Structure formats: structure tokens, C-alpha cells
Amino acid sequence: LSANERLKSRKLLDSLFEEGKALVAAPFRLVFKEVDFDTIYPVKIAFSAPKRRMKLAHDRNRSKRLMREGYKKNKHALLDWCRKEQKSFALLLISQSNTPAVYAVTEEKIILLLNRLILTHEKAAQ
């Protein structure tokens, strides 16, 4: 992921926790908030694996690495939809398991969450 695709703004992260909505597909939680439209990078994302759940640093790092890879491979449907609908999102993907999930499960759940995000906004538009 390029630096422009990553969510780094402290203000935006705080507002995500306060005002963001969440979708859950165990063991992941996707917190999202619609933001001002950006044509080049309509989606900014951050990844988290809390220390409270995953005690070992190498488990947290592996979990975040798997989430990044799963998102990177499957982000194009969301990006195309955002550009077509002229919407932008700030996303936070949080792992809620005690150990890193297998990559196949991680990718499957990320696809499910991204599709749910699109569906919830399509329903809201109708």
C-alpha cells in the first residue's frame, strides 16, 4: 500500500472511533466512516491487532501483514465502486482473535466485509 492509501491522521482515527459504524465478520471488525471525496485515493485504511488480545509482537505483526495483503489483493472492487459513486471512506480493520488467522480465512473475511460495506451504502442510497 502506498503512503497515500494509509490512514495516518490522528483526528480521523479518533473520529472513526467516536462516529464510525462497524461491520463484523469474526475474527475481524471493520470500522468505517464516509469522508470528503478524493478522486485519486477514495479509501484510506489502517490495520490494528490489539495488544490486549495478542500478547506476542510477532503474532500482531503477522496478523497485520495478512490483513494488509488480503486488502491489497481485493481492494479494487471497492475502489471502483467508490469512484463510480463518488464516495470516500476512512477504514480501520481490527483483528479480534488471540492468534493470527490463516491467510485463506483472512482473505475470505476481508472480501466479505468489503462487499458488505458496498451493500450497506447501496441500500442507504435507495
Side-chain angles (χ1 to χ4, degrees):
L1 293 174
S2 70
N4 295 322
E5 291 179 89
R6 294 177 190 230
L7 179 59
K8 297 178 278 190
S9 164
R10 189 58 157 174
K11 276 186 189 176
L12 197 47
L13 280 167
D14 289 342
S15 74
L16 254 178
F17 282 110
E18 291 170 13
E19 305 159 18
K21 297 180 178 101
L23 298 170
V24 177
F28 300 104
R29 176 185 170 115
L30 179 71
V31 181
F32 64 93
K33 179 182 175 189
E34 197 167 337
V35 293
D36 296 334
F37 183 62
D38 179 1
T39 54
I40 301 168
Y41 300 105
V43 177
K44 292 194 180 271
I45 188 164
F47 302 92
S48 175
K51 191 174 184 178
R52 179 177 282 177
R53 288 205 180 255
M54 279 189 222
K55 301 296 183 196
L56 301 176
H58 64 271
D59 284 344
R60 292 192 302 276
N61 293 339
R62 175 146 178 85
S63 182
K64 289 185 284 188
R65 192 177 312 120
L66 293 175
M67 288 189 290
R68 275 194 303 270
E69 186 62 25
Y71 172 74
K72 193 164 52 170
K73 283 178 68 177
N74 299 292
K75 67 182 177 180
H76 301 291
L78 177 63
L79 293 177
D80 293 342
W81 181 83
C82 285
R83 288 186 182 112
K84 187 181 85 175
E85 298 293 322
Q86 295 202 341
K87 292 183 181 271
S88 280
F89 293 100
L91 306 177
L92 176 62
L93 189 61
I94 304 169
S95 175
Q96 295 185 312
S97 77
N98 296 334
T99 57
V102 179
Y103 177 71
V105 173
T106 302
E107 187 175 28
E108 175 188 326
K109 299 298 182 170
I110 289 174
I111 292 169
L112 179 69
L113 286 169
L114 295 178
N115 288 337
R116 266 197 218 156
L117 177 64
I118 293 170
L119 285 174
T120 55
H121 279 80
E122 283 178 347
K123 286 180 184 175
Q126 290 176 355

